Amino acid sequence: MAELTIPGAQAILADNFAAWVLDLGLAVESVSEGAAVLRMPWSGRLVRVGGTVCGQALMSAADTAMVIALSGSFGRFKPVTTVSQNVTFMRPIAEQDVLVDARVIRLGKTLAFGEITMRGAKDARVAAHATTTYAILG
């Protein structure tokens, strides 16, 4: 199996995600077998009342990061679809980038399970935690 590189993972983002997801500005910081870290840059367009990053942006970033982590497991992009995503929001993130750390917990033939931790890039404090299930389509 070929190892997925950061440029290869970034190309997966560019080639396979909706334009509004690309508008999040996600950048792949690292990718390996079953893991990926993406950075979502701070943007005033992603904040809610009170100046904190909105939950919708965090949930989309988590979902996207897990697809990249799964691609790291496959060594390439394979179509998957989200079956479930459960997110716990623990604290707000304001005026800093978000680091989205996705890990594949179990990779089966038809289903994959993952865990995502989201932290502020400056303070490294955990802000949200997600668990996910994906159907593997290809």
Side-chain angles (χ1 to χ4, degrees), residues 9 11-22 60 63-65 67-68 77:
I12 288 170
L13 281 175
D15 295 342
N16 295 285
F17 286 87
W20 68 268
V21 174
L22 299 179
S60 296
D63 189 50
T64 304
V67 172
I68 299 303
F77 177 76

Side-chain angles (χ1 to χ4, degrees), residues 16-94:
N16 295 285
F17 286 87
W20 68 268
V21 174
L22 299 179
D23 288 345
L24 295 173
L26 296 167
V28 179
E29 298 257 311
S30 67
V31 63
S32 61
E33 184 176 342
V37 176
L38 276 60
R39 178 180 292 263
M40 184 170 67
W42 168 258
S43 169
R45 293 177 44 91
L46 301 179
V47 300
R48 57 179 299 278
V49 174
T52 61
V53 177
C54 70
Q56 295 93 330
L58 292 171
M59 291 175 75
S60 296
D63 189 50
T64 304
M66 186 51 66
V67 172
I68 299 303
L70 286 166
S71 297
S73 290
F74 303 135
R76 62 181 176 84
F77 177 76
K78 265 190 182 181
V80 297
T81 190
T82 309
V83 173
S84 70
Q85 182 181 52
N86 182 43
V87 182
T88 303
F89 299 100
M90 296 179 236
R91 61 176 290 282
I93 296 179

Side-chain angles (χ1 to χ4, degrees), residues 34-36 62 65-66 69 86 100-106 112-118 129-134:
M66 186 51 66
N86 182 43
V100 186
D101 187 350
R103 306 279 170 192
V104 176
I105 303 301
R106 182 178 187 286
F113 302 88
E115 180 175 51
I116 304 102
T117 303
M118 291 161 272
H129 176 264
T131 56
T132 57
T133 304
Y134 292 84

